[in-house]
Amino acid sequence: MAGTKDKIVSMADRLVRTKGFNAFSYKDISAPLDIKNAAVHYHFPAKADLGIEVVAHEIALFTSNTGKWAHLPEDEQLSRLFDIFRRYNSEGNICLMGSLATDFETLAPDMQAKVQEMGSIILQWLTNCLEQGRKNKRLHFKGDADARALMIISNLQSSLLLSRVMGPSAFHRIADQLLEDICQK
Amino acid sequence: MAGTKDKIVSMADRLVRTKGFNAFSYKDISAPLDIKNAAVHYHFPAKADLGIEVVAHEIALFTSNTGKWAHLPEDEQLSRLFDIFRRYNSEGNICLMGSLATDFETLAPDMQAKVQEMGSIILQWLTNCLEQGRKNKRLHFKGDADARALMIISNLQSSLLLSRVMGPSAFHRIADQLLEDICQK
DNA sequence: AAAGATACTTACTTAGTAGTAAGTAAGCAA
DNA sequence: TTGCTTACTTACTACTAAGTAAGTATCTTT
């Protein structure tokens, strides 16, 4: 039996990705879970506490996933990352970074720090993956690996946003071209 | 004498780019302009009316700019587009599309339509610019011009978001790599 | 000078928001 | 059995949001 606390975090995650952090309220969480507003405050006194938990959960998930892929060739690892975003897209979700970066200036300092931590972790992993992949001749790109990592993350993030406005095919067209650019050459 | 209405739109534009559409209130506009809340409602009865005007203003600006560049070679036109984003970055602003795409699901239908219109106009221009540029051998890229246009817009948009979280150098590293990829080869 | 439009202000309503203080029911621990 | 903890609910405060109705000062037109 998944506890109330987990359900709240899961609900908040979904809401951040669909409506944005500033656009959802505790009522949006409490009503569907059939609990009271104050029950959410019991587990997460301030909204920032809930936001931090959502980000922490995402960091844990990312770390767990990339850990499982560690034995795979780099192009395959990259492909798994793309699959995650592909699923976000089909579910109408945007990525946490994309959503929270927009509202970044309005977030509490400790939540800002957590978002930055998430960014660093993702970028570090991707930079390493690209670097190793180029060494093993499985990936091909010009310039610094960390600049290229920034570009890829930026593209994945934003393609989900554009998909929402221009239709979901936008994501696939960007992702396919991106993979083609870097895997074959 | 710039009228109050223009000042309101300009203020709203800045607020959308810094805080997001859902995170600012009419008070954030009326207080700095030293007018009353209701004065903003006089010009823009509903918040969506103001949002639509902000987007319309951006469309007009974009059309005016690209019109002025029409005589330039395509790589130069592209470079001008990048300059605009470079200025956004140095001012700590994100682009309208990036900001409004995050909040897209929470926007009124007529405002959603206006955002989509803006997206179409920008993409159409960029696709055309890329296509012509490749024909004239001034730009070099693989695949469809409209997929590439999506990628570039997506990268520019999201690099501003990432800059906010990971530091402003993120934008420059992405933009420089992007231009290098497409101009020389 | 009179009538009307323009651009507001004053003063308000309605409907939310995050957050809290105090109480309670159920389970466990000594 | 008494006391403590967990996980809430009830009932609220303080505040902020968008939006409105009615009044006013200042131009503009006739």
Side-chain angles (χ1 to χ4, degrees), chain A residues 94-113:
Chain A
I94 61 172
C95 80
L96 263 190
M97 255 312 250
S99 175
L100 295 176
T102 312
D103 296 334
F104 194 72
E105 307 289 339
T106 70
L107 304 178
D110 47 350
M111 189 171 165
Q112 288 188 335

Side-chain angles (χ1 to χ4, degrees), chain A residues 18 22-23 97 101-102 104-105 116 120 146 148 151 154-155 157-158 162 164-166 173 177-178 181, chain B residues 18 23 97 101-102 104-105 116 120 146 148 151 154-155 157-158 162 164-166 173 177-178 181:
Chain A
T18 49
N22 288 316
M97 255 312 250
T102 312
F104 194 72
E105 307 289 339
Q116 281 170 335
S120 297
D146 51 355
R148 192 61 60 172
M151 282 181 75
S154 144
N155 247 321
Q157 190 178 291
S158 186
L162 275 179
R164 196 175 259 183
V165 179
M166 308 307 295
R173 297 168 67 196
Q177 189 64 61
L178 204 54
D181 281 357
Chain B
T18 49
M97 255 311 249
T102 312
F104 194 72
E105 306 290 338
Q116 282 169 335
S120 298
D146 51 356
R148 193 60 60 172
M151 281 182 77
S154 144
N155 248 320
Q157 188 177 293
S158 186
L162 275 178
R164 194 176 261 183
V165 180
M166 309 306 295
R173 297 168 67 195
Q177 190 64 58
L178 204 54
D181 281 358

Side-chain angles (χ1 to χ4, degrees), chain B:
Chain B
M1 47 125 102
T4 304
K5 192 170 182 177
D6 290 334
K7 284 186 200 163
I8 291 171
V9 174
S10 163
M11 202 68 209
D13 181 276
R14 171 84 187 162
L15 285 164
V16 169
R17 291 176 201 265
T18 49
K19 304 183 72 176
F21 187 74
N22 288 316
F24 81 86
S25 76
Y26 274 27
K27 205 189 76 188
D28 295 323
I29 292 174
S30 58
L33 296 182
D34 208 38
I35 54 175
K36 299 293 152 175
N37 220 313
V40 184
H41 279 287
Y42 168 72
H43 291 287
F44 303 99
K47 204 179 176 186
D49 299 319
L50 177 53
I52 288 170
E53 190 62 34
V54 167
V55 177
H57 186 256
E58 178 74 2
I59 291 175
L61 206 71
F62 180 81
T63 308
S64 153
N65 274 327
T66 52
K68 278 185 227 151
W69 307 336
H71 66 285
L72 295 170
E74 288 80 11
D75 53 338
E76 191 57 41
Q77 290 189 45
L78 201 62
S79 175
R80 296 291 171 102
L81 181 71
F82 275 60
D83 285 341
I84 289 182
F85 279 82
R86 206 165 276 130
R87 232 188 57 207
Y88 287 161
N89 187 57
S90 71
E91 289 164 356
N93 288 335
I94 61 173
C95 80
L96 261 189
M97 255 311 249
S99 176
L100 294 175
T102 312
D103 296 334
F104 194 72
E105 306 290 338
T106 69
L107 303 178
D110 46 351
M111 189 171 165
Q112 288 186 336
K114 201 76 194 173
V115 173
Q116 282 169 335
E117 188 192 328
M118 174 172 65
S120 298
I121 289 172
I122 294 173
L123 275 173
Q124 203 157 39
W125 177 84
L126 185 54
T127 302
N128 189 261
C129 175
L130 290 175
E131 227 154 35
Q132 291 300 316
R134 179 151 65 174
K135 217 175 271 177
N136 300 342
K137 304 247 193 270
R138 293 189 151 273
L139 299 173
H140 310 272
F141 58 90
K142 292 189 299 182
D144 285 350
D146 51 356
R148 193 60 60 172
L150 270 171
M151 281 182 77
I152 291 174
I153 284 298
S154 144
N155 248 320
L156 285 174
Q157 188 177 293
S158 186
S159 58
L160 292 178
L161 290 175
L162 275 178
S163 263
R164 194 176 261 183
V165 180
M166 309 306 295
S169 72
F171 172 79
H172 296 293
R173 297 168 67 195
I174 292 175
D176 291 350
Q177 190 64 58
L178 204 54
L179 269 180
E180 203 181 302
D181 281 358
I182 205 162
C183 287
Q184 296 121 19
K185 185 151 297 185

